[in-house]
Each structure stands twice: as C-alpha cells, then as structure tokens.
Amino acid sequence: MASATSKPAKVTVSEKQGRASSKGVDNYYKTEVTTLGDGSIKRETFRTDAQGNNGVKVQEVSVDKNGKQTSNIVSSNATAGERKALNNPDSQLRGSIKQQTKNAGDIVQKNEADAAAGGLTDAGRKNQEVLGGGSGNNANDEGEAGDTSRPSGEPSKNEAGTRDDFGAPLHYPVTRDSNQDVIKFDMLKYEPKKISGFGFGERDSTRESIGTVTLPIPGGISDANACNWGDDTMGPLQLAAAGLALKALTPDGSTPIGAALGDLKSQLVTNNTEMKQLIQGKFAATAVGADPNSLLSRTQGMILNPNLELLFQGPSLRPFAFEFKMSPRSAAEAKVITQIIRFFKQGMAPIREQSRLFLKTPHTFRIKYVQMGDNDENIYLNKFKECALLSCSVQYTPEGNYAPYEDGAMSSYQMSLQFKELEPVYNDSYKDMPTDAIGF
C-alpha cells in the first residue's frame, strides 16, 4: 500500500448567484492517489487553500485491479458548481483532476513492486487513467515517449521529447466571466480509419483529449458548405455504345445482346437521314484531322448534341480560419498565452519515430462553440468535424511596434489558425441532432 498527493492547482468553478446569474469562483484542488493491497486504486480530490492545506474532500473514486470503476462518491461538502463540473468530462475541474491523478499515480506506481522491473505496467496505466476520469483507451501512452504504433504494426517509440499530454486545460483570459461563451479546442491523438467492407469505418470522435484550450469566440466566424459539381458531356455514339453495354450486362439476362442490337438497329433505321449526316461528318472530320463539330458547324450549321449536364463529382472538405488577439494583463497571464501558442504550434507538428524511418501524423483537434452558462454546445452555431491544423501564424507586434514588458513578454500577441476538416459532411451526419439545431 502506497500513496502520493499532487500539488494544488487553481481551478475556476461556475457557481450560481441567484436565479439567473453565475459567477466564476477560483478554488484550489489537490488529488491523492492510494494503491491498496488487493490491487485496486483509490483517488481522493480535496478543495484546499493555495498551499494545499485545510483540505475538504469533494470526491472519492475507486478502481479495481481490472480497471473497472467500483465507486464514485461526490461528497456532501461539494458545492453545486463543483458537482456540475465533476459530472462534465469537458470541465476545467475534470481536466485538472485527470492531470493530478496522472502525476500522483506515476509517483505511487513507481514505488510499487510492479514498477521495480522497469516502469509502470500497462494495467497500472489503464487503472490510473480510469481513476482520473478517462476511458483507459490511452493507457499505454507514455507522455513524453508518445504512442507506440507504426505502419508495420510493430511497437516503436517516438523520438524523445515528443509530447502526447498537454496537461491541465488552458484558458484565456484567465479571469474571464464564467458566463462568457467560448470556443473550445480539444487536442486529440490522430486515429486512422479502419477498412470496413467497401469503405472505411467511423473514427471515434469522443476519444479522450490530450489537452484543451478555451478562448473567447472571435469576430467574423462563418462556415461554408460546398459540393463539387461539374459540366459533363456524352455524344450520341458514346450514348449508343453505353446503352448497348448496359443492356448486355443486365444481371438477370432480361435483355440479351441480340435484343439490344436489334433495338439499336431500329433506331438507326428510324433516324436514317440524321445518322447518315452523323456518320459522314464523323468520317470526313477524321480523314482531315478536324473536329467533327467544327466541320458540321461550318458545313451544315449544327453540331452533335453534347447532352451537357451538371453532374455531382464528389464532396469537399470545409476550411475554417480563426484569429485571436491576446494581451496579457499580468505576468501569470503572459505565461498562459505563451503556453496556448505552444499548444497549437507543437500539437500541429509531425511526429518522428526514434528510428526516424517514418513520420507520424500530427495531433488533430475537436472544436466546438460552448455556451458557458449551461456549458453545452451552442446549437445556434455550426458544429465541426474533427480538424487538422494546417497553419498557425503569430504576429508578435500587432500594434506595429516592439513594446515588451520588463520580463520580456510582449504586450500583445495575434494568433491566426487555419483548420480543415478530416472528412466531408454527409446527409446522415445530422441524424443525431435536434431539428432546431444548425448542425454542420
């Protein structure tokens, strides 16, 4: 039996003030992880002061040795805002607890017998992640070492320094109103699709994030749905040949090749004069190397009917652009801004294996507009498919002059992000949404 406690972390919790309003309250929380003799793990989260003292328990969770959650008790000491945050997997409090559980759990398990041979076991990592509120699917990710997948299917670690865990959620401004709507960026480890029948299966869009940033919703937000359509033509001879081929290939054999040829002969007889003109024009143009339509237009004042039609050619992928201006009002906020910029820059970078033979796909992003009063996705704005970050550009002197603070932090930063969805929007993509929601 062993235990370890994380350092206290500052978290903003939204608490109701009267019937209609809410206010963000800054609290400190720490998490203690304890391994028990039967192989189970217990996690206790406390509200504390800034030094981590005077703890008041708000939640206790236990996981058995097989990674199954056996208890989840929210203490009567927890406030209404804390209860709501603990039930929301995307809340700042849940994100902080997940990171604290990982930090404390690493210390505990390294002191256990199963770590004596060289590190945490896979089962230990899984139990630890479930304890922190995760699914356990990312249990074998080793933080700085990264995931171990490679094209050959054989395990291979990422280059040292690769980052697969971006810590507790980051928020700008750090003192924002808890009722302010935000745009939320969850970073995800890229997951390729698997072949299923004649296509590909669905990518799990609900998998655990490895980092979160929330920012005020910028001006000028928009979306543009589009499909690719194009002009297409098919001449009379091509149509006749295609019709003959389709009838000959009828699966039930209801139109034998002889009947198809008889039908074509009947059309030739019925349109005898026009067919003669077509054949004469075609052969004459071929003989002199001219375009049949050009010859027919010059000599008879007409062209072959091209049967022009606008035809569907495929879906398209939606791009999105956001621009954020961040001006630190304190040294602490300046550090948060630099962490946010680092979050996007490092997250979009390709990942090298230790062998450097392959490059892995960068992390991707789940984006949504959040109504902070209810902490729900805003149904009056568009939804997003999972996105790749194509570019991240930062202007360090958006005011036109170099004006740092005494510690070197810039007085303002302007960050531009260019995203593109990984897959198209299909008609059935709207199936699980309310009819009064805009959707994608």
Side-chain angles (χ1 to χ4, degrees):
M1 179 173 176
S3 65
T5 304
S6 70
K7 294 180 180 179
K10 183 179 179 182
V11 176
T12 301
V13 176
S14 178
E15 299 286 0
K16 284 287 185 182
Q17 302 288 317
R19 291 186 176 181
S21 63
S22 298
K23 180 181 179 181
V25 178
D26 291 335
N27 295 325
Y28 287 86
Y29 298 89
K30 69 178 181 181
T31 296
E32 181 178 354
V33 174
T34 304
T35 57
L36 304 177
D38 60 358
S40 62
I41 312 177
K42 179 176 67 175
R43 185 258 292 173
E44 297 170 288
T45 298
F46 301 85
R47 185 192 322 116
T48 70
D49 56 27
Q51 288 72 42
N53 301 321
N54 304 315
V56 176
K57 186 188 294 186
V58 295
Q59 187 185 35
E60 179 178 318
V61 177
S62 295
V63 173
D64 66 18
K65 64 180 181 180
N66 298 316
K68 182 179 179 181
Q69 187 179 102
T70 55
S71 68
N72 184 350
I73 303 171
V74 178
S75 168
S76 59
N77 296 318
T79 66
E82 288 171 336
R83 290 174 179 274
K84 185 175 181 180
L86 289 170
N87 287 326
N88 178 12
D90 295 327
S91 69
Q92 183 184 3
L93 180 56
R94 283 283 293 272
S96 179
I97 290 174
K98 181 180 177 182
Q99 183 61 36
Q100 288 182 336
T101 303
K102 181 180 184 303
N103 295 342
D106 284 348
I107 296 172
V108 171
Q109 294 205 45
K110 284 177 182 176
N111 294 330
E112 292 288 302
D114 66 349
L120 303 181
T121 64
D122 290 346
R125 292 192 189 94
K126 178 180 178 180
N127 296 356
Q128 180 177 302
E129 192 193 354
V130 173
L131 194 68
S135 63
N137 295 330
N138 299 324
N140 295 331
D141 303 337
E142 297 188 27
E144 295 298 306
D147 74 80
T148 58
S149 63
R150 66 185 300 178
S152 66
E154 298 176 4
S156 175
K157 292 183 178 180
N158 295 335
E159 186 69 28
T162 298
R163 193 174 180 188
D164 280 344
D165 190 336
F166 286 76
L170 299 170
H171 308 278
Y172 172 83
V174 295
T175 57
R176 72 161 183 259
D177 185 346
S178 61
N179 286 321
Q180 180 183 0
D181 290 359
V182 297
I183 183 169
K184 182 178 182 181
F185 300 91
D186 282 317
M187 189 185 296
L188 307 172
K189 293 179 67 174
Y190 176 76
E191 181 180 279
K193 287 186 173 183
K194 296 181 180 178
I195 295 176
S196 176
F198 293 103
F200 289 91
E202 294 296 327
R203 186 180 284 109
D204 181 12
S205 60
T206 62
R207 60 192 188 276
E208 290 288 330
S209 70
I210 58 174
T212 299
V213 163
T214 57
L215 297 167
I217 297 177
I221 56 173
S222 64
D223 66 354
N225 291 33
C227 282
N228 293 321
W229 293 73
D231 298 351
D232 191 82
T233 61
M234 184 172 283
L237 295 179
Q238 290 174 303
L239 279 173
L244 183 64
L246 288 171
K247 289 178 180 178
L249 296 173
T250 302
D252 59 4
S254 59
T255 308
I257 187 67
L261 288 170
D263 183 56
L264 179 59
K265 179 181 177 182
S266 175
Q267 293 186 46
L268 291 173
V269 172
T270 303
N271 300 285
N272 185 42
T273 303
E274 290 80 4
M275 291 307 302
K276 283 183 178 179
Q277 291 176 325
L278 169 60
I279 294 171
Q280 288 173 352
K282 181 73 173 175
F283 277 99
T286 303
V288 299
D291 177 48
N293 273 334
S294 178
L295 183 60
L296 287 172
S297 182
R298 288 175 181 273
T299 59
Q300 301 184 42
M302 59 183 180
I303 62 171
L304 296 173
N305 182 0
N307 296 294
L308 177 65
E309 188 176 355
L310 184 69
L311 298 179
F312 173 66
Q313 295 184 340
S316 63
L317 300 173
R318 299 187 300 173
F320 293 94
F322 303 102
E323 190 165 290
F324 303 95
K325 188 174 182 180
M326 299 176 285
S327 302
R329 294 164 295 177
S330 66
E333 193 165 64
K335 290 182 179 179
V336 170
I337 291 173
T338 57
Q339 289 175 323
I340 289 173
I341 294 173
R342 169 76 171 269
F343 172 89
F344 288 107
K345 284 192 170 188
Q346 189 169 8
M348 69 175 291
I351 299 169
R352 293 191 296 183
E353 285 192 317
Q354 283 185 340
S355 67
R356 302 198 178 184
L357 180 61
F358 298 105
L359 287 178
K360 296 182 181 179
T361 305
H363 301 314
T364 54
F365 295 85
R366 181 172 58 222
I367 308 172
K368 63 180 178 179
Y369 298 113
V370 179
Q371 288 182 291
M372 289 305 291
D374 299 322
N375 207 26
D376 292 327
E377 191 165 8
N378 192 332
I379 65 171
Y380 299 101
L381 292 172
N382 65 281
K383 290 173 65 72
F384 300 86
K385 294 270 189 174
E386 189 174 328
C387 292
L389 179 53
L390 304 184
S391 71
C392 172
S393 58
V394 180
Q395 171 59 260
Y396 298 98
T397 57
E399 310 299 341
N401 55 71
Y402 179 73
Y405 290 110
E406 291 181 356
D407 60 359
M410 296 295 103
S411 58
S412 191
Y413 298 83
Q414 188 164 300
M415 179 176 65
S416 299
L417 304 175
Q418 301 283 339
F419 291 92
K420 197 167 192 177
E421 290 179 328
L422 299 186
E423 58 186 56
V425 175
Y426 297 106
N427 188 293
D428 60 281
S429 298
Y430 296 81
K431 64 182 178 182
D432 296 325
M433 301 177 195
T435 55
D436 58 348
I438 288 179
F440 293 105

